Structure formats: C-alpha cells, structure tokens
Amino acid sequence: MIVKQMIRNLGTAVLLSAWLAGCSKSDFLSQKPDQSLVVPTTLQDFQAILDNDNAMNGELNQGVAPSLGEIATTDYYISDSNYYKQFNEQEELEYIWAVNPYPGADIADWDKPYTAILYANEVITGISGMNVPAAQQTEWNNLMGSAHFYRAFFFYNLAQIFSPPYQDSVLDKTYGIPLRMSADINESLHRSTVADTYKQIIQDLEQYLSLLPVQASYPTRPCRPAAYALLARVFMSMRKYDSAYTYAEASLGENSTLMDFYTLDSANQTVQRSNPENLFDCLLLRSGPTLFGFVDSSLFRSYDTANGDLRPKIFYGGNPGYLQKSYDGSFNPYGGIATDEVYLMHAECAARNNDTGTAMNDLRTLLSKRYRYHKYISPVVTSVKDVLALALSERRKELVMRGIRWMDLRRLNFEPTFEVTLHRTCEGFPYTLLPNSNRYTYPIPDNVMSANPTWIQNPQ
C-alpha cells in the first residue's frame, strides 16, 4: 500500500480544487478561489483524486456509503440503556422509524456520497479530452472506468435510501435522486425519475466496465468483477433477475475465489481487508446502531452452529453480541462488494429461474467454506420455493450488517411470500414498519430541500 499512500499524499493538494467544486453555491460564490491551489492536469493527479480513500472508500474511523438503511433493519437491536447512552438524537429517531428522523440536520448519508460523485465527475471531465500516448492508454482506461464505477456506485447507494423502490408500473411517475453529472457547481439539478436514475447507473457501468482491469492493484480501487457484481446488485434491486444472473455469472467467471473460514478459525484470525473475496472495499458511515447494536437473537439462532457453522464465531466472536469485525478487517461496517454476495445473487436468481441444481451448487460451494472441516450438509429441499427460501435465508446470515438487508426488504416486500413487517420495542413502546411503507424511502434532508424549493419531498 506504500505506492498508493504516496499517490494519496500527492493528491492532498490536488483534491483542494475538487473540494471547491463540492462547495454549495452560496459558499462558493462568497469566496475567492485560492490561486495557489493545484489544478489536476496529469493522469497521476486524477488518480490521486480517486485514491482519496477517506472520500471515495471511507477510512480513518469513518465511512462514506449510506448507513441509514442498515440502521432501519431489525438484524440488530439496542438495549434501552444504550438507546440514550450510545445514540445521538438523530439516531434515536432513525431507530424507531420516525416520520421526520433528522429535522434540520446535515445528513452525511446524503453529503458524503455526493462529494464522492463530484470527485468522480472531476476525473471524468478532466481526462475526457486528454490525448495520451499509447504507453499511458491503459492508465487512462482504468481512470475513466473507475470514475464511472464510483459515480454509479454512489448513485445506486443514494437511490436505495432517498428514492422509492423500483416498480415498473410507476417508473416515470415517481421521483428518483438528483443526478449530478458534472463537477460544475452551477449545474442545474433536479430530481430525476426513478427510471432515469436506474438508467444512468446501468449506463455508467455497462459502457465503461470493459476499461477496468480484472484485478485492481488495491482493494479500494474498482475492478471489472466488481462492476459486474454491482450490475447484478442493481438488477436485483430492480427485480430483473435474469439480468442479475447474467452479471453475477460474469463476475464469478473472472473471480470466484472464496475465503476458508475453517482456516481462519484454526489460525484464530478474522477477515482482513486484503481477503480474496473483497472485490471493492468501501465502508458504511459509522453510527451508534452499526457499532453498538446486538445481533437479533432469532437471526443468531438461525446459524447452524451445532453442525459446525463458523460464521457466528467469525462475525460475532461466538456470542450474540456486537459484530466483531467487518469484512475489511476493521470495526467499521463494510459496505463494499465481495464474492460471497455474488454467489448468493447467482443462487437466488437460479432458483427463481427453476434451476434448483445450480442454486444448490452455489450454496454448497459457498457454505462449504463457512463450516468446520468443510462439512456443510445441505438440507433436503423438495421444491423451487424451498430452494429460494434457503438462498434468501443464507443471504441474510452471510451478508449481515453490510448494507444489503435494506435493499432486500424493499424488493422482497413486493412478494407476499417474503414480505416482512418489522417490529421494535424501545423503552416499553412498540414500533412497527409495514411492508411498502413510505418510510422505506427516507426524506431528503431539510437543508437540501431549502436550497431547492422546486423539488418535491418524499412522502412520509
């Protein structure tokens, strides 16, 4: 990582110019630009912008991908004593699914992803007209592919929080997210439709993924298997399972490596950032719930520990407490893309296409790496429905606290068989989130709405 650290240090000054582009219009117009700031001009300069891990991937005890969705799931719970001790006022409201969960507050789940998008746009604009010698073409390709990947990744994450779930019947009638497409602070922004939101995400990935390498130099840089996997995740959220299967298969075709949890357990190790499953490393924003939440007891009991399931030990230290380490070896919640998720997407999509053989083979391949002595014994399943239910159950257990569950709830609530009513009790008071409630879409922050009075707020 020494080389990347040197590039990141070089980018400290370069990023100041991108920071100016990230200021609000009122802030920017009230200040004179500092002429001493370095303007990025070389490919190395633009690589430094994307290598700012704090802004683009999350580090230094803070993340960048939205965690509001994870906060709203019931894969964890908070004791009454921790509710006030470990939460701020905003998190208290988010935990109980309040109608207005963050009145008047600046929301990092909105601000940080859009900052990363501005940086990505800075790179796209800066290198678009650049003539490079043949010796630098691969470097240019990687930059262009990476910048579009970052933009798509954060558009997608924002859409899971601030845009309604994807429904074919109302695509052009519901508002998605603002699509910032340049680093120009004077760009006129409006809320796109849900249809346009997903169209842009898919376009950014499909048109530019061929420019990415099969294996990135560092897990914090995008690679082609990660782009295929992100496309599969996008189509999963759209409930376009044939397309999701195609892209999951493409991802596995280029990287199907899995970690061996038995080896980790034998060496008393935890998952590390450099693990071979980590296709793209990114961290969720830290919050009280993601740091101090206890795993839901029914979820914890669903692991087959009697027959050697090692995930409770690797994930929770063997006790139904906090998540011990995330998928990148830190205490920060993981919000990136990993190979295990790709296997589970492939399995679910196969089951939905009545291909139970492929689905069960995917699950056996994954879970044999999660059990002591590799002795996973798959249950006897007699129907497509049972295989699909098994795939979804393993998906929840494997991808716990990784920013996936909220997306799954949003899409599965359209299927009566899998819809879920969420329940919480806090200080003796019961709280409920019904399937397809408006509160599955968070409101746009008040300060953003004040600056854009023509926008329509998400109904609550």
Side-chain angles (χ1 to χ4, degrees):
M1 300 296 286
I2 294 176
V3 174
K4 190 176 183 187
Q5 183 64 50
M6 292 171 63
I7 295 174
R8 188 187 309 138
N9 291 340
L10 169 66
T12 301
V14 173
L15 279 166
L16 290 175
S17 64
W19 175 83
L20 283 177
C23 294
S24 68
K25 289 185 180 181
S26 58
D27 290 340
F28 182 83
L29 294 175
S30 65
Q31 300 177 28
K32 289 185 178 181
D34 185 345
Q35 298 302 314
S36 67
L37 295 177
V38 177
V39 177
T41 57
T42 68
L43 293 182
Q44 188 179 24
D45 292 341
F46 289 108
Q47 184 65 67
I49 291 176
L50 296 186
D51 279 341
N52 178 15
D53 290 347
N54 192 41
M56 307 303 289
N57 304 86
E59 63 169 18
L60 302 177
N61 296 323
Q62 59 182 313
V64 60
S67 62
L68 282 172
E70 196 61 58
I71 291 171
T73 72
T74 53
D75 282 355
Y76 74 98
Y77 71 94
I78 294 292
S79 64
D80 284 351
S81 60
N82 275 354
Y83 184 66
Y84 288 115
K85 181 180 178 182
Q86 306 290 3
F87 281 16
N88 58 40
E89 182 179 359
Q90 174 186 321
E91 291 167 346
E92 291 170 6
L93 293 172
E94 291 163 358
Y95 183 73
I96 61 173
W97 307 303
V99 172
N100 188 4
Y102 33 73
D106 291 339
I107 302 303
D109 297 70
W110 177 281
D111 295 340
K112 285 187 175 292
Y114 273 114
T115 298
I117 289 166
L118 276 166
Y119 289 170
N121 285 334
E122 180 96 354
V123 173
I124 292 169
T125 301
I127 71 172
S128 288
M130 186 181 293
N131 292 319
V132 297
Q136 291 185 307
Q137 190 62 53
T138 298
E139 186 179 358
W140 185 95
N141 288 349
N142 191 14
L143 274 169
M144 185 62 81
S146 295
H148 282 89
F149 175 94
Y150 276 112
R151 188 167 73 180
F153 179 81
F154 288 110
F155 277 158
Y156 171 78
N157 277 274
L158 285 162
Q160 302 317 298
I161 305 299
F162 300 106
S163 173
Y166 187 99
Q167 295 184 75
D168 282 322
S169 59
V170 294
L171 283 182
D172 295 314
K173 300 176 183 177
T174 51
Y175 288 104
I177 59 171
L179 297 172
R180 181 174 282 281
M181 300 300 292
S182 80
D184 180 3
I185 64 164
N186 294 310
E187 179 185 7
S188 178
L189 294 177
H190 63 278
R191 291 196 67 183
S192 66
T193 64
V194 171
D196 286 340
T197 295
Y198 281 86
K199 180 180 178 181
Q200 185 60 54
I201 294 167
I202 293 168
Q203 180 177 303
D204 275 350
L205 292 169
E206 288 186 334
Q207 289 190 5
Y208 296 94
L209 65 81
S210 63
L211 301 180
L212 293 168
V214 173
Q215 184 173 353
S217 302
Y218 310 99
T220 48
R221 288 181 180 174
C223 62
R224 195 160 67 227
Y228 282 132
L230 179 54
L231 274 165
R233 189 191 288 182
V234 171
F235 282 109
M236 292 287 285
S237 69
M238 298 167 68
R239 292 176 290 134
K240 307 290 187 183
Y241 296 111
D242 287 344
S243 295
Y245 180 90
T246 297
Y247 283 115
E249 186 156 88
S251 181
L252 291 173
E254 295 197 327
N255 190 336
S256 60
T257 307
L258 290 169
M259 282 181 290
D260 188 340
F261 277 21
Y262 177 54
T263 300
L264 288 180
D265 180 53
S266 299
N268 197 28
Q269 293 180 345
T270 57
V271 177
Q272 300 299 313
R273 169 176 281 197
S274 59
N275 78 76
E277 293 183 20
N278 193 358
L279 298 176
F280 173 70
D281 192 78
C282 187
L283 300 177
L284 298 178
L285 286 160
R286 298 184 80 177
S287 65
T290 59
L291 292 176
F292 302 109
F294 290 91
V295 62
D296 175 72
S297 57
S298 62
L299 172 59
F300 188 82
R301 289 193 302 270
S302 70
Y303 294 98
D304 188 16
T305 53
N307 289 310
D309 191 341
L310 292 167
R311 288 174 293 183
K313 185 173 182 180
I314 299 297
F315 293 164
Y316 316 106
N319 300 304
Y322 308 122
L323 197 67
Q324 295 294 303
K325 289 288 185 72
S326 79
Y327 230 61
D328 86 328
S330 72
F331 289 102
N332 295 293
Y334 179 81
I337 301 171
T339 316
D340 61 341
E341 180 193 353
V342 185
Y343 273 98
L344 290 162
M345 290 191 290
H346 197 261
E348 180 184 338
C349 294
R352 290 181 179 278
N353 200 34
N354 300 322
D355 186 356
T356 57
T358 295
M360 291 302 297
N361 185 61
D362 288 335
L363 294 175
R364 280 191 292 268
T365 300
L366 171 64
L367 294 172
S368 66
K369 298 289 189 178
R370 300 307 190 240
Y371 274 63
R372 186 172 288 111
Y373 310 117
H374 308 146
K375 290 185 177 180
Y376 168 70
I377 301 174
S378 59
V380 176
V381 288
T382 58
S383 67
V384 171
K385 181 180 177 181
D386 290 340
V387 175
L388 179 56
L390 177 63
L392 290 172
S393 174
E394 293 300 337
R395 180 176 171 86
R396 185 183 179 195
K397 289 186 284 185
E398 177 74 17
L399 306 179
V400 62
M401 296 296 282
R402 282 167 52 177
I404 303 295
R405 180 61 177 165
W406 184 246
M407 180 269 279
D408 282 350
L409 289 168
R410 282 164 47 105
R411 68 183 174 94
L412 294 173
N413 277 337
F414 290 108
E415 301 179 49
T417 301
F418 298 115
E419 69 176 16
V420 176
T421 298
L422 301 184
H423 298 279
R424 272 192 176 131
T425 299
C426 185
E427 297 188 308
F429 292 95
Y431 298 92
T432 302
L433 184 63
L434 297 173
N436 301 313
S437 164
N438 284 336
R439 278 174 283 172
Y440 271 100
T441 305
Y442 276 85
I444 294 175
D446 290 343
N447 62 325
V448 178
M449 290 300 297
S450 296
N452 298 276
T454 62
W455 291 5
I456 304 298
Q457 178 61 281
N458 292 325
Q460 295 295 299

Short mmCIF file of all heavy atoms in Angstrom, two decimals, residues 3 10 24 97 113 169 209 215 217 239 312 393 410 435-436:
data_model
loop_
_atom_site.label_atom_id
_atom_site.label_comp_id
_atom_site.label_asym_id
_atom_site.label_seq_id
_atom_site.Cartn_x
_atom_site.Cartn_y
_atom_site.Cartn_z
N VAL A 3 2.83 2.56 -2.31
CA VAL A 3 2.69 3.35 -3.54
C VAL A 3 1.40 4.15 -3.53
O VAL A 3 1.37 5.34 -3.84
CB VAL A 3 2.73 2.42 -4.78
CG1 VAL A 3 2.45 3.22 -6.04
CG2 VAL A 3 4.09 1.74 -4.88
N LEU A 10 0.22 12.97 -2.67
CA LEU A 10 0.30 13.91 -3.78
C LEU A 10 -1.06 14.54 -4.03
O LEU A 10 -1.19 15.71 -4.36
CB LEU A 10 0.77 13.17 -5.05
CG LEU A 10 0.67 13.94 -6.37
CD1 LEU A 10 1.63 15.12 -6.36
CD2 LEU A 10 0.96 13.02 -7.55
N SER A 24 -21.20 24.36 -1.62
CA SER A 24 -22.51 24.81 -2.06
C SER A 24 -22.35 26.10 -2.85
O SER A 24 -21.34 26.78 -2.75
CB SER A 24 -23.41 25.06 -0.85
OG SER A 24 -22.93 26.17 -0.11
N TRP A 97 -37.97 4.48 13.35
CA TRP A 97 -38.62 4.77 12.07
C TRP A 97 -39.52 6.02 12.15
O TRP A 97 -40.66 6.03 11.68
CB TRP A 97 -39.45 3.58 11.59
CG TRP A 97 -38.68 2.30 11.53
CD1 TRP A 97 -37.54 2.05 10.83
CD2 TRP A 97 -39.00 1.07 12.21
NE1 TRP A 97 -37.12 0.76 11.01
CE2 TRP A 97 -37.99 0.13 11.86
CE3 TRP A 97 -40.02 0.68 13.07
CZ2 TRP A 97 -37.99 -1.18 12.35
CZ3 TRP A 97 -40.02 -0.63 13.56
CH2 TRP A 97 -39.02 -1.54 13.20
N PRO A 113 -21.78 10.79 -0.14
CA PRO A 113 -21.85 10.18 -1.47
C PRO A 113 -21.82 11.21 -2.60
O PRO A 113 -21.18 10.98 -3.63
CB PRO A 113 -23.17 9.42 -1.44
CG PRO A 113 -23.37 9.09 0.00
CD PRO A 113 -22.86 10.29 0.74
N SER A 169 -44.41 -0.25 -12.88
CA SER A 169 -45.68 0.41 -13.14
C SER A 169 -45.66 1.91 -12.90
O SER A 169 -46.51 2.64 -13.40
CB SER A 169 -46.80 -0.22 -12.30
OG SER A 169 -46.49 -0.12 -10.91
N LEU A 209 -17.30 -0.61 -18.07
CA LEU A 209 -16.67 -1.68 -17.28
C LEU A 209 -15.54 -2.37 -18.04
O LEU A 209 -14.60 -2.90 -17.42
CB LEU A 209 -17.71 -2.68 -16.79
CG LEU A 209 -18.50 -3.55 -17.78
CD1 LEU A 209 -17.72 -4.76 -18.26
CD2 LEU A 209 -19.79 -4.02 -17.12
N GLN A 215 -8.19 -7.48 -12.16
CA GLN A 215 -7.78 -7.37 -10.76
C GLN A 215 -7.16 -6.01 -10.52
O GLN A 215 -6.22 -5.62 -11.23
CB GLN A 215 -6.78 -8.47 -10.40
CG GLN A 215 -6.40 -8.45 -8.92
CD GLN A 215 -5.55 -9.66 -8.54
OE1 GLN A 215 -5.35 -10.56 -9.34
NE2 GLN A 215 -5.04 -9.66 -7.31
N SER A 217 -5.09 -3.02 -8.45
CA SER A 217 -3.84 -3.00 -7.68
C SER A 217 -4.10 -3.02 -6.19
O SER A 217 -3.29 -3.55 -5.41
CB SER A 217 -3.02 -1.75 -8.05
OG SER A 217 -2.74 -1.71 -9.42
N ARG A 239 -35.53 -6.14 -9.38
CA ARG A 239 -36.23 -7.41 -9.54
C ARG A 239 -36.20 -7.90 -11.00
O ARG A 239 -37.13 -8.53 -11.48
CB ARG A 239 -37.67 -7.30 -9.01
CG ARG A 239 -37.72 -7.13 -7.50
CD ARG A 239 -39.10 -6.92 -6.95
NE ARG A 239 -39.61 -5.60 -7.32
CZ ARG A 239 -40.83 -5.39 -7.79
NH1 ARG A 239 -41.66 -6.39 -7.97
NH2 ARG A 239 -41.21 -4.17 -8.10
N PRO A 312 -20.95 -17.48 13.16
CA PRO A 312 -21.16 -16.76 14.43
C PRO A 312 -19.84 -16.43 15.14
O PRO A 312 -19.71 -15.36 15.74
CB PRO A 312 -22.01 -17.74 15.25
CG PRO A 312 -22.73 -18.54 14.23
CD PRO A 312 -21.76 -18.72 13.10
N SER A 393 -32.45 -17.11 3.08
CA SER A 393 -32.04 -17.25 4.47
C SER A 393 -30.53 -17.16 4.62
O SER A 393 -30.01 -16.46 5.50
CB SER A 393 -32.54 -18.60 5.02
OG SER A 393 -32.03 -18.83 6.32
N ARG A 410 -36.78 -3.94 0.74
CA ARG A 410 -37.51 -3.10 -0.21
C ARG A 410 -38.00 -3.90 -1.42
O ARG A 410 -39.13 -3.72 -1.87
CB ARG A 410 -36.62 -1.94 -0.68
CG ARG A 410 -36.50 -0.81 0.34
CD ARG A 410 -35.35 0.13 0.07
NE ARG A 410 -35.18 0.60 -1.28
CZ ARG A 410 -35.49 1.84 -1.72
NH1 ARG A 410 -36.00 2.72 -0.86
NH2 ARG A 410 -35.26 2.20 -2.97
N PRO A 435 -44.80 -3.40 5.43
CA PRO A 435 -44.25 -3.59 4.09
C PRO A 435 -44.70 -2.46 3.15
O PRO A 435 -45.86 -2.02 3.20
CB PRO A 435 -44.85 -4.93 3.65
CG PRO A 435 -45.20 -5.63 4.91
CD PRO A 435 -45.58 -4.56 5.89
N ASN A 436 -43.78 -1.99 2.34
CA ASN A 436 -44.05 -0.96 1.34
C ASN A 436 -44.51 0.37 1.94
O ASN A 436 -45.12 1.20 1.26
CB ASN A 436 -45.09 -1.45 0.31
CG ASN A 436 -44.62 -2.70 -0.41
OD1 ASN A 436 -43.49 -2.77 -0.88
ND2 ASN A 436 -45.48 -3.70 -0.48
#
